[in-house]
Amino acid sequence: MPHNDPFTMTRTIIRKGPMDQRELDKWVLMEQLRSRMMSDRSPYDALWADIQSLIDPHMVINNMYQAGFPSFVSDLFLSSEHVLAFDDLDSGLQEGIFPAYQSWARYGMLDEESPLMEKPEVWSYFHTASRQAQGILLNSNFYQQIPVVLRSVSRFATGAIMMERDEECFVRFTAFPIGSYFISNNNRGVTDTFCRMYRMTARQVVEEFCTNDKGEVNLDNCSVALQLQWNDPKRHEEWVDIVMFLFPNPEFDSFRARYNSKYARYSLNYYEMANNIGHKMLREEGFSYFPVYCPKGFHQPTDAYGVECQGSKARAPIRRMFKSIQMWLLSAQKLLEPPMGADPSVGGGVSNNGVGTTPNFLTMIPGGPDGNKKFAPIYQLDPAMLKPVQEYIDKCIDEIRRICLNDVFRRFGNDDRNTPPTATEVLQRVQEDSRVLGPQLGSYNFDFISRMMHDLYYLMVEDRIIPPAPKEIHGESMKVEVISRLAIALKQSDINALNAGLGLAGQVAQIKAQPGTERINGDEALDYGFKLLNLTPKLLYSEEQVAKIRQKMNQMQQQKQ
């Protein structure tokens, strides 16, 4: 059926002819998209390689043929301070957004003021669904994979994690290293196309794609090259290049998708990248939702990948720190092992080539360096010269820690001061931190948390882990609310406004109790103040309710008299 290709803006049609022709058309389409996505990602490769060389050599796999520990990192790390700063950032994000020991998200209605949320059956339903979702995530490998995503986003501004069904724990998550995949967004800026290239041995390919539950092997969906490779037992451990391609299904058919998932809204395909003469598909399946979530750092709506994060910002101070440490070490070596001078009678050394200045260099000088000593340092450095260099190194380390928000996240943990902070200090800190942490939580919520929790909800309903929603909320929109420590801290401004409103009410009451304030309309002053503070009208009784309350109070006073 017709599909509007987001890259070429042309209409692509998969022919309804023989199966061989259909697979050829689909294979050609995916190869065209893959080529375009590889070209679109190429400007980011240099930036990722630079961050990899400075911060994290393990996370980038730009070339699937050279996966593993890069050789260029062996002599690079002169200090681990920057690595520890980024580790603190990742730990703080996981502690603040995805804590495993408490609920960090819950289901609710998009209209938070809806009276339906006050009904016990509706509240209980959302509470049950939220607890079930948290239990499923806890029993899966979610908390083992989420650190990889946080690490990727903090250093390279882009992450990718996939949620699939699993027979043992309902869902299974897979985080992909940066550089091993290509992505593209739809018109709303949401990732809806994902391509990954990786390697498997011939034995692994046959076990994964060609072996049924009974252990029977069927190689019909393999290329001729792979079949020849499998028929030779000596070649079972040779590598095979695999392409995983997930994109909006050009053959989407909601009716046929009920019986065959390859007609679902999103098509997931595996095929051999090289020597695939027959264009065979190793596997075709589909999803009703897009199973790959790609949280990003700062990016424009037209950017498929994040363009700015802590990793990109910290490159300059890390380089300055490395250079300063090299200068400090060289100066310390000259201080401890200065170049020496000696009279020729001592023997050895270098003569007639000038005076050596490098450590352990021995220069032959008639009469010795100072005339009195036959063997002595040519010059000696002042140890005080190392202090400015050390101070600059510490300055670079502090800058890296500020970029990684280390001081911010420590405020969410234990306070190591002898006296705990006052309530005013806590409020001031939260107000300052909210400006920094708000974008962090917002990017994860839009690109990852909200979509993943929505999809998990539909999977739970589909498998009847939770009952269908009550009839009262049919047709309403659902909302995923993040309730982690970081999200609650960012909502501190609402609590500040509430405290200000209650304080205003107390002030109005005190003023009205004084004589000479008859002209002040306390009710109007309170309404005006609450509107300025943007507080919900539910906090104030209506005029009719206030009139009834005052009438009862007057009656009670009259009865006492």
Side-chain angles (χ1 to χ4, degrees), residues 28 48 54 90 123 217 354 442 526 553:
V28 170
W48 293 345
L54 292 173
D90 301 335
W123 182 89
V217 176
L526 204 58
M553 293 177 62

PDB file of all heavy atoms in Angstrom, residues 28 48 54 90 123 217 354 442 526 553:
ATOM      1  N   VAL A  28      15.249  -3.288  -1.555  1.00  0.00           N
ATOM      2  CA  VAL A  28      15.761  -2.091  -2.233  1.00  0.00           C
ATOM      3  C   VAL A  28      15.373  -0.840  -1.460  1.00  0.00           C
ATOM      4  O   VAL A  28      16.180   0.085  -1.268  1.00  0.00           O
ATOM      5  CB  VAL A  28      15.240  -2.027  -3.681  1.00  0.00           C
ATOM      6  CG1 VAL A  28      15.565  -0.677  -4.313  1.00  0.00           C
ATOM      7  CG2 VAL A  28      15.827  -3.160  -4.502  1.00  0.00           C
ATOM      8  N   TRP A  48      31.740  12.396  17.948  1.00  0.00           N
ATOM      9  CA  TRP A  48      31.692  11.225  18.830  1.00  0.00           C
ATOM     10  C   TRP A  48      33.074  10.616  19.011  1.00  0.00           C
ATOM     11  O   TRP A  48      33.418  10.188  20.119  1.00  0.00           O
ATOM     12  CB  TRP A  48      30.732  10.190  18.246  1.00  0.00           C
ATOM     13  CG  TRP A  48      29.304  10.652  18.249  1.00  0.00           C
ATOM     14  CD1 TRP A  48      28.774  11.701  18.939  1.00  0.00           C
ATOM     15  CD2 TRP A  48      28.223  10.078  17.505  1.00  0.00           C
ATOM     16  NE1 TRP A  48      27.436  11.830  18.683  1.00  0.00           N
ATOM     17  CE2 TRP A  48      27.070  10.844  17.799  1.00  0.00           C
ATOM     18  CE3 TRP A  48      28.106   9.024  16.630  1.00  0.00           C
ATOM     19  CZ2 TRP A  48      25.827  10.552  17.244  1.00  0.00           C
ATOM     20  CZ3 TRP A  48      26.871   8.733  16.076  1.00  0.00           C
ATOM     21  CH2 TRP A  48      25.740   9.490  16.382  1.00  0.00           C
ATOM     22  N   LEU A  54      38.464  11.231  24.628  1.00  0.00           N
ATOM     23  CA  LEU A  54      38.681  12.000  25.851  1.00  0.00           C
ATOM     24  C   LEU A  54      38.023  11.385  27.074  1.00  0.00           C
ATOM     25  O   LEU A  54      38.562  11.487  28.185  1.00  0.00           O
ATOM     26  CB  LEU A  54      38.157  13.436  25.670  1.00  0.00           C
ATOM     27  CG  LEU A  54      38.904  14.330  24.680  1.00  0.00           C
ATOM     28  CD1 LEU A  54      38.157  15.639  24.509  1.00  0.00           C
ATOM     29  CD2 LEU A  54      40.327  14.578  25.143  1.00  0.00           C
ATOM     30  N   ASP A  90      26.004  10.253  35.872  1.00  0.00           N
ATOM     31  CA  ASP A  90      25.141   9.124  35.513  1.00  0.00           C
ATOM     32  C   ASP A  90      24.434   8.555  36.738  1.00  0.00           C
ATOM     33  O   ASP A  90      23.240   8.232  36.685  1.00  0.00           O
ATOM     34  CB  ASP A  90      25.965   8.042  34.828  1.00  0.00           C
ATOM     35  CG  ASP A  90      26.648   8.540  33.567  1.00  0.00           C
ATOM     36  OD1 ASP A  90      26.142   9.514  32.982  1.00  0.00           O
ATOM     37  OD2 ASP A  90      27.683   7.973  33.174  1.00  0.00           O
ATOM     38  N   TRP A 123      -9.245   5.882  40.578  1.00  0.00           N
ATOM     39  CA  TRP A 123      -7.955   6.040  41.263  1.00  0.00           C
ATOM     40  C   TRP A 123      -7.309   4.682  41.509  1.00  0.00           C
ATOM     41  O   TRP A 123      -6.098   4.505  41.317  1.00  0.00           O
ATOM     42  CB  TRP A 123      -8.173   6.772  42.575  1.00  0.00           C
ATOM     43  CG  TRP A 123      -6.903   7.014  43.323  1.00  0.00           C
ATOM     44  CD1 TRP A 123      -6.072   8.088  43.220  1.00  0.00           C
ATOM     45  CD2 TRP A 123      -6.290   6.129  44.278  1.00  0.00           C
ATOM     46  NE1 TRP A 123      -4.993   7.941  44.044  1.00  0.00           N
ATOM     47  CE2 TRP A 123      -5.090   6.739  44.708  1.00  0.00           C
ATOM     48  CE3 TRP A 123      -6.637   4.888  44.807  1.00  0.00           C
ATOM     49  CZ2 TRP A 123      -4.262   6.152  45.651  1.00  0.00           C
ATOM     50  CZ3 TRP A 123      -5.798   4.304  45.730  1.00  0.00           C
ATOM     51  CH2 TRP A 123      -4.633   4.926  46.156  1.00  0.00           C
ATOM     52  N   VAL A 217      16.628 -27.302  11.663  1.00  0.00           N
ATOM     53  CA  VAL A 217      17.260 -26.209  10.933  1.00  0.00           C
ATOM     54  C   VAL A 217      16.686 -26.128   9.527  1.00  0.00           C
ATOM     55  O   VAL A 217      16.623 -27.140   8.814  1.00  0.00           O
ATOM     56  CB  VAL A 217      18.788 -26.394  10.875  1.00  0.00           C
ATOM     57  CG1 VAL A 217      19.433 -25.300  10.028  1.00  0.00           C
ATOM     58  CG2 VAL A 217      19.378 -26.402  12.280  1.00  0.00           C
ATOM     59  N   GLY A 354      76.636  21.192  23.348  1.00  0.00           N
ATOM     60  CA  GLY A 354      75.802  22.095  24.123  1.00  0.00           C
ATOM     61  C   GLY A 354      75.470  21.495  25.480  1.00  0.00           C
ATOM     62  O   GLY A 354      75.894  20.401  25.835  1.00  0.00           O
ATOM     63  N   GLY A 442      13.080  16.819  31.198  1.00  0.00           N
ATOM     64  CA  GLY A 442      12.164  17.015  30.080  1.00  0.00           C
ATOM     65  C   GLY A 442      12.526  16.183  28.863  1.00  0.00           C
ATOM     66  O   GLY A 442      11.656  15.605  28.213  1.00  0.00           O
ATOM     67  N   LEU A 526      -7.739  38.118  48.698  1.00  0.00           N
ATOM     68  CA  LEU A 526      -7.279  36.728  48.683  1.00  0.00           C
ATOM     69  C   LEU A 526      -7.443  36.114  47.297  1.00  0.00           C
ATOM     70  O   LEU A 526      -6.559  35.392  46.810  1.00  0.00           O
ATOM     71  CB  LEU A 526      -8.062  35.930  49.723  1.00  0.00           C
ATOM     72  CG  LEU A 526      -7.396  34.667  50.262  1.00  0.00           C
ATOM     73  CD1 LEU A 526      -6.048  35.005  50.880  1.00  0.00           C
ATOM     74  CD2 LEU A 526      -8.284  34.009  51.297  1.00  0.00           C
ATOM     75  N   MET A 553     -21.313  29.980  61.533  1.00  0.00           N
ATOM     76  CA  MET A 553     -20.462  30.526  62.592  1.00  0.00           C
ATOM     77  C   MET A 553     -21.210  31.573  63.386  1.00  0.00           C
ATOM     78  O   MET A 553     -21.104  31.631  64.634  1.00  0.00           O
ATOM     79  CB  MET A 553     -19.192  31.128  61.980  1.00  0.00           C
ATOM     80  CG  MET A 553     -18.269  30.108  61.346  1.00  0.00           C
ATOM     81  SD  MET A 553     -16.831  30.848  60.555  1.00  0.00           S
ATOM     82  CE  MET A 553     -16.035  31.613  61.963  1.00  0.00           C
TER      83      MET A 553
END
